[in-house]
PDB file of all heavy atoms in Angstrom:
ATOM      1  N   ASP M   1       0.852  -1.181   0.031  1.00  0.00           N
ATOM      2  CA  ASP M   1       0.022   0.007  -0.011  1.00  0.00           C
ATOM      3  C   ASP M   1       0.935   1.207  -0.010  1.00  0.00           C
ATOM      4  O   ASP M   1       1.545   1.509   0.998  1.00  0.00           O
ATOM      5  CB  ASP M   1      -0.875  -0.005   1.284  1.00  0.00           C
ATOM      6  CG  ASP M   1      -1.890   1.133   1.284  1.00  0.00           C
ATOM      7  OD1 ASP M   1      -1.608   2.163   0.608  1.00  0.00           O
ATOM      8  OD2 ASP M   1      -2.913   0.978   2.013  1.00  0.00           O
ATOM      9  N   HIS M   2       0.936   1.974  -1.107  1.00  0.00           N
ATOM     10  CA  HIS M   2       1.920   3.094  -1.146  1.00  0.00           C
ATOM     11  C   HIS M   2       1.354   4.346  -0.529  1.00  0.00           C
ATOM     12  O   HIS M   2       1.949   5.422  -0.579  1.00  0.00           O
ATOM     13  CB  HIS M   2       2.404   3.371  -2.589  1.00  0.00           C
ATOM     14  CG  HIS M   2       1.462   4.026  -3.496  1.00  0.00           C
ATOM     15  ND1 HIS M   2       0.109   3.634  -3.533  1.00  0.00           N
ATOM     16  CD2 HIS M   2       1.579   4.983  -4.437  1.00  0.00           C
ATOM     17  CE1 HIS M   2      -0.503   4.396  -4.437  1.00  0.00           C
ATOM     18  NE2 HIS M   2       0.402   5.218  -5.017  1.00  0.00           N
ATOM     19  N   THR M   3       0.140   4.255   0.101  1.00  0.00           N
ATOM     20  CA  THR M   3      -0.331   5.407   0.849  1.00  0.00           C
ATOM     21  C   THR M   3       0.054   5.343   2.352  1.00  0.00           C
ATOM     22  O   THR M   3      -0.086   6.354   3.024  1.00  0.00           O
ATOM     23  CB  THR M   3      -1.879   5.517   0.814  1.00  0.00           C
ATOM     24  OG1 THR M   3      -2.495   4.423   1.553  1.00  0.00           O
ATOM     25  CG2 THR M   3      -2.353   5.501  -0.627  1.00  0.00           C
ATOM     26  N   ILE M   4       0.490   4.162   2.766  1.00  0.00           N
ATOM     27  CA  ILE M   4       0.835   3.959   4.168  1.00  0.00           C
ATOM     28  C   ILE M   4       2.194   3.290   4.228  1.00  0.00           C
ATOM     29  O   ILE M   4       2.368   2.148   3.797  1.00  0.00           O
ATOM     30  CB  ILE M   4      -0.178   3.065   4.908  1.00  0.00           C
ATOM     31  CG1 ILE M   4      -1.622   3.749   4.847  1.00  0.00           C
ATOM     32  CG2 ILE M   4       0.200   2.910   6.346  1.00  0.00           C
ATOM     33  CD1 ILE M   4      -2.760   2.841   5.102  1.00  0.00           C
ATOM     34  N   SER M   5       3.170   4.005   4.734  1.00  0.00           N
ATOM     35  CA  SER M   5       4.566   3.463   4.798  1.00  0.00           C
ATOM     36  C   SER M   5       4.703   2.511   5.942  1.00  0.00           C
ATOM     37  O   SER M   5       4.014   2.599   6.917  1.00  0.00           O
ATOM     38  CB  SER M   5       5.529   4.586   4.863  1.00  0.00           C
ATOM     39  OG  SER M   5       5.541   5.182   6.169  1.00  0.00           O
ATOM     40  N   TYR M   6       5.719   1.657   5.779  1.00  0.00           N
ATOM     41  CA  TYR M   6       6.035   0.676   6.835  1.00  0.00           C
ATOM     42  C   TYR M   6       6.447   1.392   8.136  1.00  0.00           C
ATOM     43  O   TYR M   6       6.105   0.959   9.227  1.00  0.00           O
ATOM     44  CB  TYR M   6       7.160  -0.222   6.347  1.00  0.00           C
ATOM     45  CG  TYR M   6       7.470  -1.273   7.427  1.00  0.00           C
ATOM     46  CD1 TYR M   6       6.641  -2.325   7.624  1.00  0.00           C
ATOM     47  CD2 TYR M   6       8.656  -1.171   8.247  1.00  0.00           C
ATOM     48  CE1 TYR M   6       6.904  -3.293   8.629  1.00  0.00           C
ATOM     49  CE2 TYR M   6       8.901  -2.059   9.246  1.00  0.00           C
ATOM     50  CZ  TYR M   6       8.065  -3.173   9.413  1.00  0.00           C
ATOM     51  OH  TYR M   6       8.284  -4.062  10.384  1.00  0.00           O
ATOM     52  N   ASP M   7       7.101   2.584   7.984  1.00  0.00           N
ATOM     53  CA  ASP M   7       7.517   3.336   9.162  1.00  0.00           C
ATOM     54  C   ASP M   7       6.304   3.803   9.972  1.00  0.00           C
ATOM     55  O   ASP M   7       6.365   3.851  11.168  1.00  0.00           O
ATOM     56  CB  ASP M   7       8.306   4.633   8.702  1.00  0.00           C
ATOM     57  CG  ASP M   7       9.630   4.222   8.050  1.00  0.00           C
ATOM     58  OD1 ASP M   7      10.024   3.067   8.098  1.00  0.00           O
ATOM     59  OD2 ASP M   7      10.284   5.168   7.516  1.00  0.00           O
ATOM     60  N   GLN M   8       5.260   4.187   9.262  1.00  0.00           N
ATOM     61  CA  GLN M   8       4.032   4.651   9.961  1.00  0.00           C
ATOM     62  C   GLN M   8       3.442   3.518  10.737  1.00  0.00           C
ATOM     63  O   GLN M   8       2.974   3.695  11.841  1.00  0.00           O
ATOM     64  CB  GLN M   8       3.003   5.135   8.973  1.00  0.00           C
ATOM     65  CG  GLN M   8       3.284   6.521   8.380  1.00  0.00           C
ATOM     66  CD  GLN M   8       2.240   6.875   7.303  1.00  0.00           C
ATOM     67  OE1 GLN M   8       2.098   6.192   6.329  1.00  0.00           O
ATOM     68  NE2 GLN M   8       1.494   7.870   7.605  1.00  0.00           N
ATOM     69  N   ILE M   9       3.424   2.328  10.122  1.00  0.00           N
ATOM     70  CA  ILE M   9       2.871   1.117  10.811  1.00  0.00           C
ATOM     71  C   ILE M   9       3.693   0.732  12.029  1.00  0.00           C
ATOM     72  O   ILE M   9       3.150   0.501  13.124  1.00  0.00           O
ATOM     73  CB  ILE M   9       2.732  -0.050   9.793  1.00  0.00           C
ATOM     74  CG1 ILE M   9       1.806   0.326   8.701  1.00  0.00           C
ATOM     75  CG2 ILE M   9       2.238  -1.331  10.574  1.00  0.00           C
ATOM     76  CD1 ILE M   9       1.787  -0.717   7.515  1.00  0.00           C
ATOM     77  N   ALA M  10       5.048   0.809  11.875  1.00  0.00           N
ATOM     78  CA  ALA M  10       5.971   0.510  12.998  1.00  0.00           C
ATOM     79  C   ALA M  10       5.726   1.512  14.143  1.00  0.00           C
ATOM     80  O   ALA M  10       5.729   1.134  15.335  1.00  0.00           O
ATOM     81  CB  ALA M  10       7.328   0.562  12.519  1.00  0.00           C
ATOM     82  N   LEU M  11       5.508   2.801  13.801  1.00  0.00           N
ATOM     83  CA  LEU M  11       5.300   3.776  14.821  1.00  0.00           C
ATOM     84  C   LEU M  11       3.989   3.551  15.501  1.00  0.00           C
ATOM     85  O   LEU M  11       3.847   3.708  16.760  1.00  0.00           O
ATOM     86  CB  LEU M  11       5.374   5.186  14.203  1.00  0.00           C
ATOM     87  CG  LEU M  11       5.301   6.357  15.255  1.00  0.00           C
ATOM     88  CD1 LEU M  11       6.487   6.361  16.164  1.00  0.00           C
ATOM     89  CD2 LEU M  11       5.141   7.700  14.534  1.00  0.00           C
ATOM     90  N   LEU M  12       2.960   3.215  14.738  1.00  0.00           N
ATOM     91  CA  LEU M  12       1.639   2.884  15.354  1.00  0.00           C
ATOM     92  C   LEU M  12       1.774   1.768  16.361  1.00  0.00           C
ATOM     93  O   LEU M  12       1.279   1.862  17.491  1.00  0.00           O
ATOM     94  CB  LEU M  12       0.631   2.491  14.220  1.00  0.00           C
ATOM     95  CG  LEU M  12      -0.737   2.018  14.701  1.00  0.00           C
ATOM     96  CD1 LEU M  12      -1.568   3.175  15.250  1.00  0.00           C
ATOM     97  CD2 LEU M  12      -1.475   1.389  13.546  1.00  0.00           C
ATOM     98  N   GLU M  13       2.499   0.732  16.011  1.00  0.00           N
ATOM     99  CA  GLU M  13       2.716  -0.411  16.906  1.00  0.00           C
ATOM    100  C   GLU M  13       3.466   0.030  18.186  1.00  0.00           C
ATOM    101  O   GLU M  13       3.018  -0.317  19.305  1.00  0.00           O
ATOM    102  CB  GLU M  13       3.535  -1.413  16.207  1.00  0.00           C
ATOM    103  CG  GLU M  13       3.688  -2.737  16.890  1.00  0.00           C
ATOM    104  CD  GLU M  13       3.477  -3.954  16.010  1.00  0.00           C
ATOM    105  OE1 GLU M  13       3.892  -3.935  14.823  1.00  0.00           O
ATOM    106  OE2 GLU M  13       2.863  -4.961  16.449  1.00  0.00           O
ATOM    107  N   GLU M  14       4.468   0.852  18.026  1.00  0.00           N
ATOM    108  CA  GLU M  14       5.248   1.283  19.187  1.00  0.00           C
ATOM    109  C   GLU M  14       4.383   2.128  20.138  1.00  0.00           C
ATOM    110  O   GLU M  14       4.430   1.983  21.318  1.00  0.00           O
ATOM    111  CB  GLU M  14       6.403   2.179  18.570  1.00  0.00           C
ATOM    112  CG  GLU M  14       7.476   2.671  19.547  1.00  0.00           C
ATOM    113  CD  GLU M  14       8.332   3.719  18.851  1.00  0.00           C
ATOM    114  OE1 GLU M  14       8.875   3.411  17.753  1.00  0.00           O
ATOM    115  OE2 GLU M  14       8.505   4.791  19.426  1.00  0.00           O
ATOM    116  N   LYS M  15       3.613   3.051  19.549  1.00  0.00           N
ATOM    117  CA  LYS M  15       2.788   3.971  20.339  1.00  0.00           C
ATOM    118  C   LYS M  15       1.619   3.190  21.011  1.00  0.00           C
ATOM    119  O   LYS M  15       1.249   3.513  22.171  1.00  0.00           O
ATOM    120  CB  LYS M  15       2.129   5.043  19.513  1.00  0.00           C
ATOM    121  CG  LYS M  15       3.206   6.027  18.911  1.00  0.00           C
ATOM    122  CD  LYS M  15       3.708   6.921  19.954  1.00  0.00           C
ATOM    123  CE  LYS M  15       4.541   8.062  19.345  1.00  0.00           C
ATOM    124  NZ  LYS M  15       5.143   8.893  20.403  1.00  0.00           N
ATOM    125  N   LEU M  16       1.064   2.204  20.354  1.00  0.00           N
ATOM    126  CA  LEU M  16      -0.036   1.419  20.944  1.00  0.00           C
ATOM    127  C   LEU M  16       0.502   0.671  22.139  1.00  0.00           C
ATOM    128  O   LEU M  16      -0.108   0.541  23.191  1.00  0.00           O
ATOM    129  CB  LEU M  16      -0.667   0.460  19.974  1.00  0.00           C
ATOM    130  CG  LEU M  16      -1.540   1.134  18.916  1.00  0.00           C
ATOM    131  CD1 LEU M  16      -1.969   0.114  17.827  1.00  0.00           C
ATOM    132  CD2 LEU M  16      -2.838   1.729  19.496  1.00  0.00           C
ATOM    133  N   LYS M  17       1.742   0.101  21.972  1.00  0.00           N
ATOM    134  CA  LYS M  17       2.392  -0.601  23.099  1.00  0.00           C
ATOM    135  C   LYS M  17       2.514   0.309  24.321  1.00  0.00           C
ATOM    136  O   LYS M  17       2.323  -0.154  25.466  1.00  0.00           O
ATOM    137  CB  LYS M  17       3.770  -1.076  22.611  1.00  0.00           C
ATOM    138  CG  LYS M  17       4.084  -2.479  22.993  1.00  0.00           C
ATOM    139  CD  LYS M  17       5.426  -2.991  22.342  1.00  0.00           C
ATOM    140  CE  LYS M  17       5.097  -4.111  21.348  1.00  0.00           C
ATOM    141  NZ  LYS M  17       6.225  -4.270  20.417  1.00  0.00           N
ATOM    142  N   GLN M  18       2.795   1.571  24.015  1.00  0.00           N
ATOM    143  CA  GLN M  18       3.037   2.529  25.123  1.00  0.00           C
ATOM    144  C   GLN M  18       1.735   3.028  25.768  1.00  0.00           C
ATOM    145  O   GLN M  18       1.682   3.168  26.963  1.00  0.00           O
ATOM    146  CB  GLN M  18       3.745   3.755  24.458  1.00  0.00           C
ATOM    147  CG  GLN M  18       4.490   4.663  25.404  1.00  0.00           C
ATOM    148  CD  GLN M  18       5.145   5.797  24.657  1.00  0.00           C
ATOM    149  OE1 GLN M  18       5.467   5.681  23.409  1.00  0.00           O
ATOM    150  NE2 GLN M  18       5.353   6.901  25.329  1.00  0.00           N
ATOM    151  N   TYR M  19       0.735   3.289  24.969  1.00  0.00           N
ATOM    152  CA  TYR M  19      -0.523   3.951  25.444  1.00  0.00           C
ATOM    153  C   TYR M  19      -1.763   3.166  25.568  1.00  0.00           C
ATOM    154  O   TYR M  19      -2.670   3.474  26.315  1.00  0.00           O
ATOM    155  CB  TYR M  19      -0.834   5.146  24.595  1.00  0.00           C
ATOM    156  CG  TYR M  19       0.189   6.299  24.661  1.00  0.00           C
ATOM    157  CD1 TYR M  19       1.087   6.454  23.644  1.00  0.00           C
ATOM    158  CD2 TYR M  19       0.236   7.160  25.778  1.00  0.00           C
ATOM    159  CE1 TYR M  19       2.084   7.481  23.696  1.00  0.00           C
ATOM    160  CE2 TYR M  19       1.165   8.151  25.781  1.00  0.00           C
ATOM    161  CZ  TYR M  19       2.093   8.306  24.773  1.00  0.00           C
ATOM    162  OH  TYR M  19       2.989   9.337  24.841  1.00  0.00           O
ATOM    163  N   CYS M  20      -1.847   2.052  24.813  1.00  0.00           N
ATOM    164  CA  CYS M  20      -3.126   1.342  24.673  1.00  0.00           C
ATOM    165  C   CYS M  20      -3.360   0.391  25.795  1.00  0.00           C
ATOM    166  O   CYS M  20      -2.472  -0.434  26.100  1.00  0.00           O
ATOM    167  CB  CYS M  20      -3.195   0.654  23.300  1.00  0.00           C
ATOM    168  SG  CYS M  20      -4.818  -0.042  23.000  1.00  0.00           S
ATOM    169  N   LYS M  21      -4.547   0.478  26.454  1.00  0.00           N
ATOM    170  CA  LYS M  21      -4.809  -0.359  27.637  1.00  0.00           C
ATOM    171  C   LYS M  21      -5.796  -1.536  27.320  1.00  0.00           C
ATOM    172  O   LYS M  21      -6.132  -2.326  28.148  1.00  0.00           O
ATOM    173  CB  LYS M  21      -5.408   0.508  28.740  1.00  0.00           C
ATOM    174  CG  LYS M  21      -4.461   1.608  29.238  1.00  0.00           C
ATOM    175  CD  LYS M  21      -5.166   2.568  30.205  1.00  0.00           C
ATOM    176  CE  LYS M  21      -4.367   3.789  30.540  1.00  0.00           C
ATOM    177  NZ  LYS M  21      -4.238   4.710  29.387  1.00  0.00           N
ATOM    178  N   VAL M  22      -6.171  -1.600  26.047  1.00  0.00           N
ATOM    179  CA  VAL M  22      -7.090  -2.652  25.641  1.00  0.00           C
ATOM    180  C   VAL M  22      -6.413  -3.548  24.610  1.00  0.00           C
ATOM    181  O   VAL M  22      -5.314  -3.276  24.146  1.00  0.00           O
ATOM    182  CB  VAL M  22      -8.427  -2.084  25.063  1.00  0.00           C
ATOM    183  CG1 VAL M  22      -9.169  -1.348  26.160  1.00  0.00           C
ATOM    184  CG2 VAL M  22      -8.134  -1.204  23.858  1.00  0.00           C
ATOM    185  N   ALA M  23      -7.120  -4.621  24.195  1.00  0.00           N
ATOM    186  CA  ALA M  23      -6.516  -5.543  23.228  1.00  0.00           C
ATOM    187  C   ALA M  23      -6.432  -4.824  21.864  1.00  0.00           C
ATOM    188  O   ALA M  23      -7.346  -4.083  21.455  1.00  0.00           O
ATOM    189  CB  ALA M  23      -7.421  -6.788  23.066  1.00  0.00           C
ATOM    190  N   TYR M  24      -5.331  -5.019  21.173  1.00  0.00           N
ATOM    191  CA  TYR M  24      -5.221  -4.438  19.810  1.00  0.00           C
ATOM    192  C   TYR M  24      -4.402  -5.483  18.976  1.00  0.00           C
ATOM    193  O   TYR M  24      -3.723  -6.317  19.557  1.00  0.00           O
ATOM    194  CB  TYR M  24      -4.565  -3.063  19.822  1.00  0.00           C
ATOM    195  CG  TYR M  24      -3.114  -3.076  20.298  1.00  0.00           C
ATOM    196  CD1 TYR M  24      -2.082  -3.328  19.411  1.00  0.00           C
ATOM    197  CD2 TYR M  24      -2.847  -2.825  21.608  1.00  0.00           C
ATOM    198  CE1 TYR M  24      -0.725  -3.338  19.836  1.00  0.00           C
ATOM    199  CE2 TYR M  24      -1.545  -2.850  22.101  1.00  0.00           C
ATOM    200  CZ  TYR M  24      -0.500  -3.098  21.206  1.00  0.00           C
ATOM    201  OH  TYR M  24       0.817  -3.116  21.621  1.00  0.00           O
ATOM    202  N   LYS M  25      -4.408  -5.283  17.734  1.00  0.00           N
ATOM    203  CA  LYS M  25      -3.630  -6.128  16.829  1.00  0.00           C
ATOM    204  C   LYS M  25      -3.340  -5.376  15.584  1.00  0.00           C
ATOM    205  O   LYS M  25      -4.108  -4.558  15.102  1.00  0.00           O
ATOM    206  CB  LYS M  25      -4.487  -7.404  16.481  1.00  0.00           C
ATOM    207  CG  LYS M  25      -3.798  -8.453  15.620  1.00  0.00           C
ATOM    208  CD  LYS M  25      -4.737  -9.667  15.579  1.00  0.00           C
ATOM    209  CE  LYS M  25      -4.245 -10.600  14.478  1.00  0.00           C
ATOM    210  NZ  LYS M  25      -5.202 -11.772  14.323  1.00  0.00           N
ATOM    211  N   ILE M  26      -2.112  -5.604  15.033  1.00  0.00           N
ATOM    212  CA  ILE M  26      -1.744  -4.964  13.737  1.00  0.00           C
ATOM    213  C   ILE M  26      -1.261  -6.118  12.852  1.00  0.00           C
ATOM    214  O   ILE M  26      -0.499  -6.998  13.259  1.00  0.00           O
ATOM    215  CB  ILE M  26      -0.574  -3.955  13.929  1.00  0.00           C
ATOM    216  CG1 ILE M  26      -1.059  -2.758  14.715  1.00  0.00           C
ATOM    217  CG2 ILE M  26      -0.104  -3.513  12.560  1.00  0.00           C
ATOM    218  CD1 ILE M  26       0.044  -1.806  15.121  1.00  0.00           C
ATOM    219  N   LYS M  27      -1.763  -6.154  11.666  1.00  0.00           N
ATOM    220  CA  LYS M  27      -1.342  -7.238  10.723  1.00  0.00           C
ATOM    221  C   LYS M  27      -1.129  -6.693   9.329  1.00  0.00           C
ATOM    222  O   LYS M  27      -1.971  -5.884   8.836  1.00  0.00           O
ATOM    223  CB  LYS M  27      -2.330  -8.421  10.734  1.00  0.00           C
ATOM    224  CG  LYS M  27      -1.827  -9.639   9.993  1.00  0.00           C
ATOM    225  CD  LYS M  27      -2.692 -10.821  10.352  1.00  0.00           C
ATOM    226  CE  LYS M  27      -2.362 -12.012   9.394  1.00  0.00           C
ATOM    227  NZ  LYS M  27      -3.166 -13.208   9.724  1.00  0.00           N
ATOM    228  N   VAL M  28      -0.040  -7.082   8.723  1.00  0.00           N
ATOM    229  CA  VAL M  28       0.297  -6.619   7.343  1.00  0.00           C
ATOM    230  C   VAL M  28       0.262  -7.836   6.424  1.00  0.00           C
ATOM    231  O   VAL M  28       0.938  -8.837   6.683  1.00  0.00           O
ATOM    232  CB  VAL M  28       1.710  -5.940   7.316  1.00  0.00           C
ATOM    233  CG1 VAL M  28       2.014  -5.482   5.934  1.00  0.00           C
ATOM    234  CG2 VAL M  28       1.811  -4.766   8.297  1.00  0.00           C
ATOM    235  N   TYR M  29      -0.499  -7.719   5.369  1.00  0.00           N
ATOM    236  CA  TYR M  29      -0.685  -8.846   4.434  1.00  0.00           C
ATOM    237  C   TYR M  29       0.246  -8.751   3.209  1.00  0.00           C
ATOM    238  O   TYR M  29       0.221  -7.737   2.524  1.00  0.00           O
ATOM    239  CB  TYR M  29      -2.147  -8.900   4.024  1.00  0.00           C
ATOM    240  CG  TYR M  29      -3.069  -9.188   5.204  1.00  0.00           C
ATOM    241  CD1 TYR M  29      -3.377  -8.180   6.063  1.00  0.00           C
ATOM    242  CD2 TYR M  29      -3.521 -10.446   5.459  1.00  0.00           C
ATOM    243  CE1 TYR M  29      -4.125  -8.423   7.239  1.00  0.00           C
ATOM    244  CE2 TYR M  29      -4.281 -10.750   6.603  1.00  0.00           C
ATOM    245  CZ  TYR M  29      -4.574  -9.709   7.460  1.00  0.00           C
ATOM    246  OH  TYR M  29      -5.350  -9.959   8.604  1.00  0.00           O
ATOM    247  N   PRO M  30       1.123  -9.735   2.964  1.00  0.00           N
ATOM    248  CA  PRO M  30       2.118  -9.705   1.987  1.00  0.00           C
ATOM    249  C   PRO M  30       1.566  -9.354   0.588  1.00  0.00           C
ATOM    250  O   PRO M  30       0.468  -9.955   0.173  1.00  0.00           O
ATOM    251  CB  PRO M  30       2.672 -11.117   1.967  1.00  0.00           C
ATOM    252  CG  PRO M  30       2.383 -11.702   3.343  1.00  0.00           C
ATOM    253  CD  PRO M  30       1.057 -11.038   3.727  1.00  0.00           C
ATOM    254  N   GLY M  31       2.257  -8.463  -0.084  1.00  0.00           N
ATOM    255  CA  GLY M  31       2.002  -8.188  -1.501  1.00  0.00           C
ATOM    256  C   GLY M  31       0.692  -7.438  -1.834  1.00  0.00           C
ATOM    257  O   GLY M  31       0.368  -7.246  -2.963  1.00  0.00           O
ATOM    258  N   GLN M  32      -0.033  -6.987  -0.791  1.00  0.00           N
ATOM    259  CA  GLN M  32      -1.354  -6.435  -1.037  1.00  0.00           C
ATOM    260  C   GLN M  32      -1.350  -4.898  -1.084  1.00  0.00           C
ATOM    261  O   GLN M  32      -0.620  -4.254  -0.366  1.00  0.00           O
ATOM    262  CB  GLN M  32      -2.323  -6.889   0.102  1.00  0.00           C
ATOM    263  CG  GLN M  32      -2.497  -8.398   0.190  1.00  0.00           C
ATOM    264  CD  GLN M  32      -2.828  -8.963  -1.226  1.00  0.00           C
ATOM    265  OE1 GLN M  32      -3.852  -8.653  -1.806  1.00  0.00           O
ATOM    266  NE2 GLN M  32      -1.921  -9.798  -1.766  1.00  0.00           N
ATOM    267  N   VAL M  33      -2.120  -4.407  -2.086  1.00  0.00           N
ATOM    268  CA  VAL M  33      -2.162  -2.982  -2.267  1.00  0.00           C
ATOM    269  C   VAL M  33      -3.390  -2.421  -1.524  1.00  0.00           C
ATOM    270  O   VAL M  33      -4.137  -3.113  -0.941  1.00  0.00           O
ATOM    271  CB  VAL M  33      -2.292  -2.611  -3.789  1.00  0.00           C
ATOM    272  CG1 VAL M  33      -1.083  -3.100  -4.562  1.00  0.00           C
ATOM    273  CG2 VAL M  33      -3.594  -3.171  -4.413  1.00  0.00           C
ATOM    274  N   HIS M  34      -3.525  -1.086  -1.527  1.00  0.00           N
ATOM    275  CA  HIS M  34      -4.608  -0.369  -0.867  1.00  0.00           C
ATOM    276  C   HIS M  34      -5.957  -0.912  -1.422  1.00  0.00           C
ATOM    277  O   HIS M  34      -6.123  -1.116  -2.626  1.00  0.00           O
ATOM    278  CB  HIS M  34      -4.473   1.143  -1.162  1.00  0.00           C
ATOM    279  CG  HIS M  34      -5.260   2.012  -0.280  1.00  0.00           C
ATOM    280  ND1 HIS M  34      -4.819   2.369   0.957  1.00  0.00           N
ATOM    281  CD2 HIS M  34      -6.537   2.449  -0.392  1.00  0.00           C
ATOM    282  CE1 HIS M  34      -5.816   3.060   1.554  1.00  0.00           C
ATOM    283  NE2 HIS M  34      -6.852   3.201   0.735  1.00  0.00           N
ATOM    284  N   GLY M  35      -6.890  -1.159  -0.531  1.00  0.00           N
ATOM    285  CA  GLY M  35      -8.193  -1.622  -0.963  1.00  0.00           C
ATOM    286  C   GLY M  35      -8.369  -3.068  -1.264  1.00  0.00           C
ATOM    287  O   GLY M  35      -9.391  -3.535  -1.713  1.00  0.00           O
ATOM    288  N   PHE M  36      -7.315  -3.860  -0.897  1.00  0.00           N
ATOM    289  CA  PHE M  36      -7.312  -5.259  -1.342  1.00  0.00           C
ATOM    290  C   PHE M  36      -8.397  -6.106  -0.725  1.00  0.00           C
ATOM    291  O   PHE M  36      -8.959  -7.014  -1.369  1.00  0.00           O
ATOM    292  CB  PHE M  36      -5.980  -5.893  -1.020  1.00  0.00           C
ATOM    293  CG  PHE M  36      -5.724  -6.259   0.480  1.00  0.00           C
ATOM    294  CD1 PHE M  36      -5.979  -7.567   0.908  1.00  0.00           C
ATOM    295  CD2 PHE M  36      -5.267  -5.335   1.380  1.00  0.00           C
ATOM    296  CE1 PHE M  36      -5.705  -7.942   2.230  1.00  0.00           C
ATOM    297  CE2 PHE M  36      -5.031  -5.657   2.726  1.00  0.00           C
ATOM    298  CZ  PHE M  36      -5.273  -6.963   3.150  1.00  0.00           C
ATOM    299  N   ALA M  37      -8.844  -5.802   0.533  1.00  0.00           N
ATOM    300  CA  ALA M  37      -9.754  -6.684   1.201  1.00  0.00           C
ATOM    301  C   ALA M  37     -11.244  -6.579   0.808  1.00  0.00           C
ATOM    302  O   ALA M  37     -12.056  -7.353   1.275  1.00  0.00           O
ATOM    303  CB  ALA M  37      -9.651  -6.465   2.730  1.00  0.00           C
TER     304      ALA M  37
END
């Protein structure tokens, strides 16, 4: 997905680890472009 960089996703993960008090999950699907699902 060229609208969302890997760095942004990594930062989201880091910040959720720091601030989020509920269950969360992040998953990146190989080879998939924006709108794939």
Side-chain angles (χ1 to χ4, degrees):
D1 184 337
H2 75 319
T3 68
I4 300 161
S5 72
Y6 183 74
D7 295 352
Q8 284 178 298
I9 298 169
L11 186 66
L12 176 68
E13 190 136 35
E14 185 190 311
K15 295 285 191 185
L16 287 173
K17 225 171 245 162
Q18 199 179 338
Y19 293 102
C20 189
K21 300 172 188 72
V22 296
Y24 66 86
K25 184 175 167 183
I26 294 173
K27 190 165 169 180
V28 181
Y29 296 77
Q32 299 310 296
V33 298
H34 197 84
F36 77 98

